[in-house]
Amino acid sequence: MRLLSLNQKDGLCTFYNPFRNLNCYMSNDDLLGCEIRYAKDGWLLVSRGKSLFLLEPSPSSKQIIHLPRRTEDYFCDTLSFSATPANSSAWVIFGIACLNEYQVRISYLKAGDDNWTSMIMDNEVPFALSCSSPVYFGEEFCVIGDCTGDVGAFGFLEDGNPYWVIHQICPLYSPRISGAHRHFLVLRDQIVLYSVIVTREHNVRVYELKFGEYESVKLVKEVKNWLLFISEASSLLLVA
């Protein structure tokens, strides 16, 4: 596993191996002036102005999938995708932005679509996005709220219609959330979803989240052999 950082000015990619504490470097002209919006399974979702594309930056098998350009009414604070083109032919790209505490703008693009679909969805309760990127979990895109720790979920019904719901789990956190924190969602082995809270004093608390008929938020009291990486573009958890 390697962590990637990008110098936008010259397209220089730095790959960091956390197991060996080793850096490798690769110049990629395709990334000049670009911003990495999300990363998953070796693929990157990259923006340059209004242009978006999916990129597999491996030197041996570099692939680029150019996506439809964004329209004027399109704006996303955070983006992610459900699966890589190498793993699924039915991938979906998802983006979300807060218009106000009671409304969000959601945009998505399914594989094969010629244009983005954009819509305004109402929140049942006040909701503000954190800096964390969305996570695809249980066939839904999940985003965590700033300050509250509530989780918004976007998905598609069996008839194909989209839905947006907010899991009001703030009262379930123990200890309770208070003060200025940074909130992240992290997925482990595609089956367990965690809420990671970083306090202003740089203390870290990890909670295991469960949704469904009985929702729960469980504080993880002991962490053994975990490698946890959090960032605005993508976060991940590995068991070493």
Side-chain angles (χ1 to χ4, degrees):
M1 188 203 73
R2 294 183 178 90
L3 302 177
L4 169 66
S5 60
L6 169 67
N7 187 322
Q8 297 182 9
K9 294 181 179 180
D10 57 14
L12 181 65
C13 300
T14 301
F15 295 91
Y16 173 65
N17 186 324
F19 299 102
R20 297 184 178 182
N21 194 27
L22 178 67
N23 284 329
C24 298
Y25 303 92
M26 180 184 73
S27 182
N28 191 328
D29 292 339
D30 296 315
L31 294 175
L32 280 171
C34 292
E35 180 182 358
I36 297 175
R37 306 299 301 273
Y38 191 67
K40 182 175 183 177
D41 297 336
W43 283 72
L44 307 176
L45 178 60
V46 181
S47 66
R48 181 191 289 122
K50 293 183 180 180
S51 299
L52 278 170
F53 56 94
L54 289 166
L55 170 68
E56 184 187 25
S58 171
S60 60
S61 59
K62 184 174 71 172
Q63 299 183 61
I64 299 179
I65 298 177
H66 293 280
L67 304 171
R69 288 178 64 87
R70 298 180 286 180
T71 59
E72 293 298 331
D73 64 345
Y74 170 93
F75 175 78
C76 293
D77 292 327
T78 57
L79 288 159
S80 74
F81 50 85
S82 60
T84 70
N87 293 334
S88 173
S89 60
W91 49 263
V92 181
I93 298 175
F94 166 81
I96 186 170
C98 267
L99 300 181
N100 54 65
E101 62 179 4
Y102 286 102
Q103 285 185 321
V104 295
R105 180 189 295 279
I106 291 175
S107 301
Y108 66 86
L109 180 79
K110 293 184 177 182
D113 285 353
D114 294 327
N115 296 291
W116 289 82
T117 300
S118 184
M119 64 193 68
I120 295 176
M121 310 286 273
D122 294 328
N123 305 329
E124 309 108 270
V125 294
F127 185 79
L129 288 175
S130 75
C131 61
S132 173
S133 57
V135 171
Y136 190 67
F137 174 68
E139 299 185 353
E140 293 180 326
F141 288 96
C142 296
V143 292
I144 192 165
D146 195 19
C147 300
T148 64
D150 289 339
V151 173
F154 174 82
F156 298 93
L157 301 171
E158 291 184 1
D159 60 6
N161 287 321
Y163 65 87
W164 165 252
V165 64
I166 296 177
H167 297 285
Q168 301 175 42
I169 58 175
C170 178
L172 302 180
Y173 284 88
S174 180
R176 296 292 297 272
I177 300 174
S178 62
H181 301 317
R182 300 180 70 197
H183 296 246
F184 300 86
L185 284 180
V186 184
L187 189 61
R188 174 183 173 185
D189 299 330
Q190 305 299 316
I191 57 173
V192 184
L193 185 66
Y194 294 98
S195 166
V196 179
I197 297 176
V198 183
T199 69
R200 181 179 294 176
E201 296 77 23
H202 302 294
N203 296 319
V204 178
R205 298 202 301 265
V206 180
Y207 295 88
E208 181 179 341
L209 307 182
K210 290 186 178 179
F211 304 127
E213 185 177 358
Y214 299 102
E215 297 183 335
S216 66
V217 178
K218 180 182 178 182
L219 177 66
V220 179
K221 297 181 179 180
E222 187 175 356
V223 175
K224 291 185 178 180
N225 303 324
W226 280 22
L227 290 175
L228 180 63
F229 301 94
I230 52 177
S231 74
E232 294 184 8
S234 192
S235 301
L236 63 106
L237 187 154
L238 299 174
V239 179

